[in-house]
Amino acid sequence: MATLSDIGVAAGINLLSAFIFFIAFAILRLQPFNDRVYFPKWYLKGLRSSPSRSGAFVKKFVNLDFRSYLRFLNWMPEALKMPELELIDHAGLDSAVYLRTYLIGLKIFVPITFLAWAILVPVNYTNKALELQLRNFTSSDIDKLSISNVPDGSDRFWTHIVMAYAFTFWTCFVLLKEYEKVANLRLQFIASEKRRPDQFTVIVRNLPPDTDESVSESVEHFFLVNHPDTYLTHQVVCNANKLAKLVKKRKSMQNWLDYYQLKYSRNNAKRPLMKTGFLGLCGKQVDAIDRHISEIDKLSNEIAEERERVLKDPKAIMPAAFVSFKSRWGAAVCAQTQQVRNPTSMLTEWAPEPRDVYWQNLAIPYVSIAVRRLIMAVAFFFLTFFFIIPIASVQALATIEGLEKELPFLKPLTEVKFIRSVIQGFLPGIVLKIFLIFLPTILMIMSKFEGFTSISSLQRRSATRYYLFNVVNVFLVSVVAGSAMEQLDTFINQSANEIPKTIGVGVPMRATFFITYIMVDGWAGIAAEILMLKPLIFYHLKNFFLVKTEKDREEAMDPGSLGFNTEEPRIQLYFLLGMVYATVTPALLPFIVVFFGLAYVVFRHQIINVYNQEYESAAAFWPDVHGRIIIALLVSHVALIGLLSTKHLVQSAPLLVALAVLTIWFYTFCKARYEPAFVRYPLQVCSFLHI
């Protein structure tokens, strides 16, 4: 087991790693040739231009103003200066509410940490249960600060129960205020947005076939009859894959034309030439500008012909359409009502904004979607539980005891105190991170197969499954399997009625593993996020080998967007750990607080300066965030019930069950009170908003 010394060494190494990352970032961001890597959002908005350095050639690449290096941490206060309303206008509501998730972590866990360390840590530490009762039990110094150090049947456990109530009520209070705030922000954001076609449009799917009319005529006829006062126009969805390829090809040709015209403008004495053969390496030599103008004209004609063919070809018309209305009120009525008697036909929902539409899934039939989701649910079940075996096995190996058992020749090395501390502090967390590298990609593929029609809904479904996977494999497997395998010798040599007690004491002892995981993933991982080493390398490689025009440069510096399907479940894992260990092992809480504080500052900087959001869903993911924090509370209640039952305090179970019931009631209240704002749009707000 890791000792306080091991944890201290690991914390020092991770803090040093984070500090090195911050220093490297502070230096690299000041260099003129890196400006587009660390401030791309301002370039894409047209509010920033490349730094101009006069004088020596080296000044164009290296910042020689040494005074600027003395202010290497000034990016932190700068990241905190922008007010929330300005941030929403700058980056969108999704990004602003995502940052509020980190703030909620601070609002919840900072008071809980102070309270737990002021009350629970002294209560736990002033006992000697681990020394007196379980001399043959593998424990660590951290365990002396945990509930494991309180003797069975002690009245001190009532302190933990009272604290469980206090922590739960405080968390629910914060969640209530935040849900109300985010719901109001969402309604205000939607009402104040600049008017766009998608705000007056709904998607209609599963259009029924009609032998007498085309799909387009059928849609027009239906809405003229049933929505005569508000219907405006419609556009059926077409299978235009070939058309899309032609448009993409013309875009590439236009980019080459811009390059050759720019090249010619710099040297009017000679027209640029090119060869017409394979990759421009062989063939007849022709004028490059004239050649590309000719090819673009040819492609434009082909695009026009293909567009006409698609619109006239019945086989290219999909059973889905975008229907636009004269007012948001009309769109809201259509989107939130059943259109025909058959509930599986003429399905309507709000149209996502154009960036958010996932076009491949618009035409999937209703029955097919139901079958696909059943298949993916079964596949996810097996994916989750088949992962238990390798994760549990590798986690057992990724300890000093496991390494010495499987690789005995390493024993002399592991007996060196510093190396032992490094292994205890890094190896388990790193192994777990490696196992999860490809999981988000797998889950996103599964979500796409299920037939969701927007990228935001795809990411929300993927995030839900990622969270469930984390609960089972990262939390439960690491706690139960990890502690059980470490105490295997004790299990074998004791009576059967003692095993529940050993498990009850062993569960909080896995806090040391999660502390190392938080330091590796949370501290060092967040610091590495701001360094952006991968985008930095890729940008300079692209800029050197591929960039021909300003458009190429924009694409090269495109930083992408926040991955809600990966980052949000990651945050929720920390909420889960904090809730579960708040009453069990309060020593873990400061590490959680450092994570939320560091992550808030780093991601605020990234959202303001770097990430260019892929879509805007107006914080549609917030009900999922709220629900997962509630799940974390319930898991903490169940864990405490199970733990106290092994401590001869069965009479506490009704009180903790009542606490869980109150938490569920709170969830249902919030769901009924605030979730409609994330599902439906009030007609009262829509009534005066017209095109």
Side-chain angles (χ1 to χ4, degrees):
M1 297 289 291
T3 64
L4 281 176
S5 175
D6 295 334
I7 297 297
V9 171
I13 293 173
N14 279 284
L15 283 174
L16 180 61
S17 300
F19 185 72
I20 291 172
F21 286 144
F22 284 138
I23 292 294
F25 163 71
I27 294 173
L28 290 171
R29 70 189 284 268
L30 294 174
Q31 310 313 314
F33 66 99
N34 289 332
D35 203 59
R36 290 178 178 267
V37 178
Y38 292 110
F39 301 95
K41 192 163 192 169
W42 299 99
Y43 282 92
L44 295 173
K45 284 177 171 282
L47 300 175
R48 191 181 181 101
S49 58
S50 298
S52 57
R53 304 276 180 176
S54 59
F57 176 76
V58 71
K59 286 187 177 182
K60 297 180 180 180
F61 300 95
V62 180
N63 184 354
L64 298 180
D65 181 8
F66 294 102
R67 290 173 298 178
S68 63
Y69 293 98
L70 299 177
R71 303 185 298 272
F72 68 95
L73 289 179
N74 66 347
W75 63 271
M76 288 187 175
E78 287 177 2
L80 300 174
K81 281 182 182 178
M82 185 178 287
E84 186 175 55
L85 292 179
E86 186 180 342
L87 179 66
I88 292 173
D89 184 59
H90 174 69
L93 187 62
D94 280 342
S95 298
V97 172
Y98 172 79
L99 288 173
R100 289 191 76 88
T101 310
Y102 292 108
L103 269 184
I104 290 174
L106 292 173
K107 290 179 181 179
I108 290 174
F109 288 113
V110 169
I112 286 178
T113 300
F114 279 111
L115 197 59
W117 274 81
I119 298 175
L120 291 181
V121 169
V123 167
N124 296 334
Y125 186 72
T126 52
N127 290 278
K128 296 184 179 180
L130 291 176
E131 296 179 12
L132 300 176
Q133 297 179 9
L134 296 171
R135 294 182 183 277
N136 64 329
F137 199 87
T138 305
S139 63
S140 71
D141 296 334
I142 292 290
D143 302 323
K144 295 177 183 178
L145 305 178
S146 76
I147 198 172
S148 300
N149 203 33
V150 181
D152 294 354
S154 173
D155 290 338
R156 294 193 177 196
F157 286 121
W158 293 105
T159 307
H160 297 82
I161 295 171
V162 172
M163 288 295 99
Y165 268 84
F167 296 163
T168 300
F169 287 166
W170 172 249
T171 301
C172 290
F173 173 76
V174 172
L175 287 177
L176 181 67
K177 293 298 182 181
E178 287 298 322
Y179 215 146
E180 182 179 9
K181 175 68 174 178
V182 174
N184 290 332
L185 283 174
R186 173 179 166 85
L187 294 177
Q188 292 170 10
F189 179 78
I190 294 175
S192 63
E193 273 189 304
K194 294 179 181 179
R195 296 181 181 181
R196 304 188 313 266
D198 57 275
Q199 297 170 340
F200 300 83
T201 305
V202 300
I203 296 178
V204 186
R205 295 184 296 134
N206 262 45
L207 295 171
D210 192 326
T211 55
D212 299 326
E213 294 179 313
S214 67
V215 173
S216 181
E217 291 170 341
S218 175
V219 171
E220 184 178 28
H221 179 260
F222 177 86
F223 283 96
L224 282 174
V225 171
N226 294 281
H227 299 267
D229 298 326
T230 56
Y231 169 73
L232 180 65
T233 186
H234 73 279
Q235 175 62 58
V236 295
V237 178
C238 303
N239 183 356
N241 291 334
K242 183 179 178 182
L243 179 62
K245 291 178 181 177
L246 290 173
V247 171
K248 185 177 179 180
K249 186 176 180 181
R250 184 177 65 178
K251 183 180 177 182
S252 176
M253 284 286 183
Q254 183 64 50
N255 194 46
W256 276 105
L257 176 61
D258 293 342
Y259 165 69
Y260 285 119
Q261 288 178 334
L262 180 63
K263 186 177 179 180
Y264 180 61
S265 66
R266 292 172 177 172
N267 183 12
N268 292 329
K270 184 179 180 182
R271 298 273 293 184
L273 302 175
M274 62 173 291
K275 295 182 179 180
T276 59
F278 179 72
L279 296 178
L281 300 175
C282 58
K284 183 181 177 182
Q285 197 171 56
V286 296
D287 185 291
I289 294 177
D290 293 341
R291 171 76 175 184
H292 280 86
I293 290 175
S294 173
E295 289 293 325
I296 290 172
D297 290 340
K298 181 180 176 182
L299 284 170
S300 297
N301 293 332
E302 291 182 18
I303 288 171
E305 293 173 3
E306 179 63 18
R307 184 180 288 112
E308 290 294 324
R309 186 196 68 79
V310 166
L311 293 175
K312 293 179 180 178
D313 184 5
K315 294 181 180 179
I317 306 299
M318 301 289 101
F322 289 92
V323 180
S324 297
F325 295 82
K326 298 174 183 177
S327 66
R328 288 189 186 181
W329 185 90
V333 170
C334 180
Q336 296 166 186
T337 55
Q338 183 174 316
Q339 302 302 307
V340 295
R341 293 180 180 178
N342 182 357
T344 66
S345 181
M346 295 283 287
L347 302 176
T348 57
E349 59 182 288
W350 281 102
E353 64 168 358
R355 296 178 300 170
D356 194 20
V357 178
Y358 189 69
W359 297 95
Q360 291 90 325
N361 286 349
L362 290 181
I364 299 177
Y366 178 85
V367 175
S368 176
I369 290 176
V371 173
R372 285 167 176 245
R373 292 182 182 176
L374 175 62
I375 293 172
M376 287 300 100
V378 174
F380 178 68
F381 174 84
F382 284 107
L383 174 70
T384 301
F385 286 94
F386 281 153
F387 254 83
I388 290 177
I389 298 173
I391 286 182
S393 301
V394 175
Q395 282 296 83
L397 179 63
T399 61
I400 294 294
E401 295 79 5
L403 284 173
E404 290 178 348
K405 181 180 178 181
E406 299 297 329
L407 304 171
F409 62 88
L410 292 178
K411 189 171 182 178
L413 194 63
T414 58
E415 289 178 350
V416 178
K417 186 176 180 180
F418 178 77
I419 295 177
R420 187 182 186 90
S421 298
V422 171
I423 292 175
Q424 291 279 29
F426 279 97
L427 192 58
I430 290 175
V431 167
L432 188 56
K433 287 285 291 181
I434 291 172
F435 258 89
L436 300 178
I437 287 177
F438 299 106
L439 182 64
T441 303
I442 295 172
L443 295 179
M444 183 57 75
I445 292 172
M446 294 172 68
S447 299
K448 290 177 179 179
F449 183 78
E450 289 184 281
F452 291 98
T453 57
S454 65
I455 298 172
S456 57
S457 58
L458 287 173
Q459 292 197 344
R460 289 198 298 273
R461 172 53 67 95
S462 180
T464 298
R465 288 193 166 144
Y466 197 1
Y467 176 71
L468 293 174
F469 187 94
N470 281 342
V471 171
V472 174
N473 283 298
V474 177
F475 179 71
L476 293 178
V477 171
S478 295
V479 166
V480 179
S483 60
M485 289 180 181
E486 287 180 5
Q487 314 302 338
L488 187 58
D489 291 338
T490 307
F491 292 169
I492 294 173
N493 296 311
Q494 68 183 183
S495 60
N497 61 352
E498 291 292 312
I499 292 178
K501 180 190 292 186
T502 305
I503 294 178
V505 178
V507 167
M509 290 184 179
R510 286 301 282 174
T512 54
F513 162 74
F514 286 116
I515 288 174
T516 62
Y517 181 79
I518 292 167
M519 289 188 292
V520 172
D521 178 70
W523 297 5
I526 291 298
E529 157 72 27
I530 202 168
L531 182 58
M532 296 179 61
L533 191 58
K534 179 181 173 183
L536 178 69
I537 295 171
F538 277 33
Y539 168 75
H540 286 299
L541 288 175
K542 290 178 180 178
N543 192 44
F544 187 79
F545 293 106
L546 301 177
V547 169
K548 305 180 295 295
T549 63
E550 276 301 315
K551 188 171 184 61
D552 287 338
R553 185 169 284 106
E554 285 186 8
E555 293 177 357
M557 73 177 179
D558 184 10
S561 60
L562 277 172
F564 288 109
N565 59 314
T566 56
E567 295 299 333
E568 197 273 330
R570 178 194 196 184
I571 304 172
Q572 295 303 325
L573 177 61
Y574 291 105
F575 274 106
L576 177 64
L577 295 177
M579 294 300 178
V580 170
Y581 282 98
T583 52
V584 175
T585 308
L588 180 139
L589 291 175
F591 297 90
I592 294 282
V593 171
V594 171
F595 163 76
F596 278 115
L598 186 61
Y600 175 71
V601 175
V602 167
F603 277 105
R604 210 173 200 276
H605 173 275
Q606 297 296 82
I607 284 171
I608 291 173
N609 298 302
V610 180
Y611 290 127
N612 190 34
Q613 202 52 39
E614 185 179 6
Y615 59 82
E616 178 59 59
S617 69
F621 60 88
W622 182 255
D624 296 332
V625 173
H626 176 85
R628 287 168 197 149
I629 298 176
I630 295 295
I631 290 174
L633 279 174
L634 293 173
V635 172
S636 71
H637 299 155
V638 172
L640 193 57
I641 290 172
L643 184 57
L644 293 182
S645 68
T646 68
K647 293 286 191 176
H648 302 164
L649 207 70
V650 180
Q651 64 269 30
S652 67
L655 287 173
L656 292 173
V657 169
L659 183 59
V661 171
L662 286 173
T663 304
I664 294 172
W665 173 84
F666 171 76
Y667 171 73
T668 57
F669 168 78
C670 289
K671 184 179 178 67
R673 173 65 180 84
Y674 298 112
E675 190 170 319
F678 296 85
V679 180
R680 297 183 291 273
Y681 198 69
L683 296 180
Q684 181 184 24
V685 179
C686 296
S687 56
F688 300 106
L689 299 175
H690 296 267
I691 288 180

